[in-house]
Every structure is written in C-alpha cells, then in structure tokens.
Amino acid sequence: MADRFTGFARTASAPDLRLATALARGALRSPFKRPRPDASFPRTRLVLPSVRVDLARLAAYERVCGFATGDDALPITYPHVLGFPAAMSLMSGGDFPLPLLGLVHTSVGITRHTTLPATGVYEVAVHIAGLAPHRRGTEAAVTTVLRAAGGDVVWESTSTYLARHRTDGPAPEPARREQEPLPAVAEWRLGPDVGRRYAAASGDRNPIHLHPLTARLFGFPRAIAHGMWTVARCLAAHGTPEAALVRAEFRSPVLLPGTVVHTADGIGRFGLRDPAGQRVHLRGEVLPPLT
C-alpha cells in the first residue's frame, strides 16, 4: 500500500516544523511502546513526489560532513536526508512498535546507480522493511528509494535502527568476519557541536546527539555523533565512484567531543577507531553495485 506523503512540503527545507512535530509526537508516545521483534509494524509506503533539494541546506550538510561545497552532484549519503521526514513519520506513528526516543542507528547499506544532480527533481519512497531480534533489543529496517523524473531508481538504501530493551534470551546475531586493522589515514578532533550542526543540516534531532544531559537519559555519558555523519565524513575523505554500493556498520558510539582515527586500505574498506586502537566505531566498504 502506497500513500502520497502530503504532510510535508515538497522542498527539502520546508518540512522543519512538521518534522519537529513528528519527533515530538514520537517522543510522547515512546514511554508507552513495548518493543518486541514479533510485533506488528506499519506496511504503508510513504511517497514524497517532486522533491527538490534546498541548496543552502545541502551546503550546510556538505560543510559539516567534509564534502566539497558547490558540487553539481549530491553526496552519496545525502538522499538519506531527503527520506528522513517520511521515515520519522512512520517511526513516530502509533502503529510503529519501537520507541522513537533512544533509537540507535546500527547499519546502513546504500546503492547509488548513477550521479544525482543537485538541481534534480526526485520521488522519494520510504517503508518499514521489517523487525528483527538483536542481542540488545529489537531492530527495525527502514528502506528508502529515490527515483528520477523518468521513474528510474537512481538511489536506494536500507538502515537498521535498534531499540534497546531487555530480551528473553540471547538473540541471533550475524557473524562478523574478523579483519586486520585498517591503516590509519588521518586523526580528526571532533567538537561538542558536531551533533547539533549535523542535526540542523539533516533534521535528525534525536536527543542522544545533541547535549550531554539528554544523551545521559538514554545511557550515554556524553552526546554521540550521528551514525550517518560518521559514514558521510569517511566517504567525503574516501571518495566513491559514480555507481557504488556502500555498506557500513556502526560498531560503537563516537562520543562528543572526542578524537577519532580515520582508517582505509585503498581498495574500498574504510573505518573509524579510537586513537588507542582499542575500539572500532565504524566499519565500511565501497563496492561496485550489485547487478
């Protein structure tokens, strides 16, 4: 079932007020949610027709993430921002079983099929792909698809979000292939405002990213960086071809302020770790798109 998503305006800058309303609605409903992996979830596919990019907001996004500003093409991670209002509408609804407050982004897979002009007009569709057990709670998978004016799919992604809660027993977890540490490329010192700057550019104002006090309410000692900021910052430094598949796993939170080391092997793998090399924050890879 597909619904035209008319609750938000058709430019990427206009939805701020209603997006804030969706976040507030989700926050108010969060204490009453009882998450479990076998719960029902909304099957609606929300569609935003004729979406245009706000170039000023795009420039702010590029600056905070480290992409070159003024490029004719969208960064590979930017369509996530275009679909975020619809994703929040679904995840803040009464029929979504996980509490919106405290949701942690755990992974993302992105496929860009071609260059995305910054001045293009796109249709953005978002749906909940499913729920799954996690050893720390329940994960929701959210899929976003971008179509060009002619109807062709030009970009698509699936993100997983974790609601942490007590579980009845150990949940299955995908086996992680142990890898040799990637070579260090650069050390980045992150200020305390990175989460707030990214929130202003992306619209993702989850309180775990904004201030130490609000982050502590959800078990974090300080604010943590957005997962999508960490992968975008790495890809801005790493680079991606016109058509690419990006897979990234957010392994441990990046506390703000803090220092991280960007790692890469020159053949597609990248990551973030702490300066001591004891904790991996992010593991990712850039591959040719699947056919």
Side-chain angles (χ1 to χ4, degrees):
M1 179 174 63
D3 286 348
R4 283 297 198 203
F5 190 42
T6 56
F8 288 84
R10 295 186 179 183
T11 64
S13 64
D16 282 354
L17 179 58
R18 291 192 177 116
L19 180 53
T21 301
L23 290 170
R25 182 173 65 243
L28 291 173
R29 287 173 170 161
S30 290
F32 306 100
K33 298 294 181 75
R34 298 295 179 261
R36 64 181 197 277
D38 61 345
S40 62
F41 59 90
R43 309 289 175 152
T44 302
R45 183 170 63 97
L46 295 183
V47 178
L48 292 82
S50 304
V51 173
R52 297 178 183 273
V53 174
D54 181 309
L55 298 181
R57 173 163 285 183
L58 172 62
Y61 178 92
E62 291 168 335
R63 285 192 294 270
V64 71
C65 296
F67 292 103
T69 58
D71 197 340
D72 291 338
L74 297 178
I76 191 169
T77 49
Y78 193 75
H80 177 86
V81 173
L82 301 181
F84 189 70
M88 285 299 98
S89 180
L90 287 173
M91 291 194 286
S92 66
D95 54 352
F96 182 70
L98 307 186
L100 186 63
L101 282 183
L103 278 183
V104 177
H105 201 173
T106 50
S107 73
V108 65
I110 296 171
T111 300
R112 180 173 64 187
H113 298 282
T114 187
T115 299
L116 308 176
T119 54
V121 181
Y122 301 99
E123 177 190 274
V124 183
V126 181
H127 70 276
I128 308 297
L131 303 179
H134 185 279
R135 63 187 177 86
R136 293 181 178 173
T138 299
E139 276 187 331
V142 180
T143 295
T144 303
V145 177
L146 210 73
R147 293 180 183 272
D152 293 333
V153 174
V154 292
W155 185 98
E156 52 195 314
S157 77
T158 296
S159 286
T160 57
Y161 296 91
L162 172 65
R164 299 187 297 175
H165 60 85
R166 290 185 178 181
T167 59
D168 294 332
E173 190 174 19
R176 287 176 174 171
R177 183 182 60 183
E178 291 302 321
Q179 300 175 343
E180 292 295 321
L182 298 177
V185 176
E187 185 173 280
W188 298 333
R189 295 182 179 180
L190 312 180
D193 64 338
V194 167
R196 294 187 290 275
R197 290 174 58 209
Y198 183 84
S202 69
D204 185 352
R205 291 182 171 83
N206 188 323
I208 62 176
H209 303 304
L210 304 181
H211 297 280
L213 288 177
T214 53
R216 288 191 197 111
L217 295 175
F218 301 96
F220 299 101
R222 302 197 300 275
I224 65 173
H226 295 72
M228 285 306 297
W229 178 86
T230 64
V231 70
R233 182 67 186 88
C234 286
L235 292 175
H238 187 79
T240 53
E242 177 180 323
L245 167 64
V246 174
R247 292 174 176 153
E249 180 185 4
F250 309 115
R251 302 277 292 267
S252 62
V254 174
L255 298 177
L256 301 172
T259 300
V260 293
V261 175
H262 169 51
T263 60
D265 64 2
I267 59 172
R269 294 186 300 167
F270 62 91
L272 284 181
R273 63 168 173 81
D274 72 310
Q278 298 178 343
R279 173 175 292 187
V280 174
H281 299 296
L282 168 71
R283 280 278 193 180
E285 57 185 349
V286 179
L287 302 167
L290 299 176
T291 56

